[in-house]
Amino acid sequence: MPHLKNCLEILRHLIAKGDINGASYAERAINEYLEVTPATARKSGLRVIQQDVLIQRDAVIGDRRSFAEIVNAYIEKKLTE
């Protein structure tokens, strides 16, 4: 659970900044979460992360919203792999 919390905190911080250059950091946070999470819990954890990202996305505008949409697209990609 600490890995999920850590990933959520990183993504929230990155979304709050809304800097497109942070996309690689978001991907890294998600990938690191997936690496330490048992295979049976990955999809459910990604869905929790995705839900939080969508909440953040709906609460912001402009660059922050665009960044959240990029993060969500990456999560969608990981969910289909």
Side-chain angles (χ1 to χ4, degrees):
M1 206 62 160
H3 301 290
L4 177 65
K5 182 181 176 191
N6 186 44
C7 182
L8 290 170
E9 289 175 0
I10 291 169
L11 294 177
R12 287 176 188 156
H13 174 74
L14 291 169
I15 292 169
K17 286 179 68 176
D19 182 3
I20 196 72
N21 295 322
S24 62
Y25 296 118
E27 289 178 7
R28 186 179 321 152
I30 293 166
N31 291 336
E32 287 177 1
Y33 165 75
L34 291 172
E35 288 174 10
V36 297
T37 303
T40 56
R42 289 180 187 150
K43 282 203 179 210
S44 62
L46 275 177
R47 293 195 191 286
V48 169
I49 294 168
Q50 183 179 42
Q51 183 63 34
D52 192 70
V53 167
L54 293 174
I55 290 169
Q56 299 303 312
R57 181 201 64 190
D58 292 344
V60 295
I61 59 173
D63 291 341
R64 293 176 182 127
R65 185 177 182 91
S66 297
F67 184 82
E69 289 173 353
I70 290 168
V71 174
N72 184 53
Y74 187 73
I75 293 169
E76 281 292 327
K77 176 183 166 191
K78 289 298 188 179
L79 284 168
T80 59
E81 289 181 351

